Amino acid sequence: ETPANETAGDDEMWRRVGTLRSHLDGVRGARLCGGVLLTAGEDSLIKAWDMTPLRSSVVGETQPDTCWEEVEPFATYRGHAGAVLSLAAPAARSTAKDRQLFFSGGFDGDVCAWHLPSPAERDPYDPTPSNKE
């Protein structure tokens, strides 16, 4: 039996559904936590992106040529003095009333704990979350 990736063309296997532009340097890592994508950048920032608008594109509910060109992060986390090298977060968002935590490790040697609000709880133009543990 031939695996699907050997029979399908590149266009059928991979399709760009969005462009995430906000980091000022390279992205070192990404972690999906429920419907939120966290990205770790060499610019010492962590960005949180709401993936809900892209979900319909991924499951084929929109036209194949639809691409979200400008997706903005709903939160930007500052706290590392150098590149953010890694992220750790649960695969699914917690249903408990406690705030969701995720962790980051940086070139500065720090491991930070952060609260992750849902996209509905934040205005993307509010100040940076100051809830680093």
Side-chain angles (χ1 to χ4, degrees), residues 27-47:
V27 173
R28 286 287 189 123
R31 178 75 173 128
L32 191 60
C33 179
V36 174
L37 178 68
L38 299 166
T39 56
E42 290 183 0
D43 55 4
S44 75
L45 302 175
I46 301 162
K47 305 278 184 168

Side-chain angles (χ1 to χ4, degrees), residues 41-86:
E42 290 183 0
D43 55 4
S44 75
L45 302 175
I46 301 162
K47 305 278 184 168
W49 311 80
D50 181 8
M51 293 289 96
T52 306
L54 301 179
R55 180 168 297 182
S56 61
S57 296
V58 172
V59 297
E61 294 175 6
T62 60
Q63 297 298 322
D65 58 349
T66 300
C67 180
W68 297 86
E69 285 297 329
E70 296 298 327
V71 179
E72 293 291 327
F74 70 87
T76 299
Y77 298 86
R78 294 172 174 85
H80 285 283
V84 183
L85 304 175
S86 62

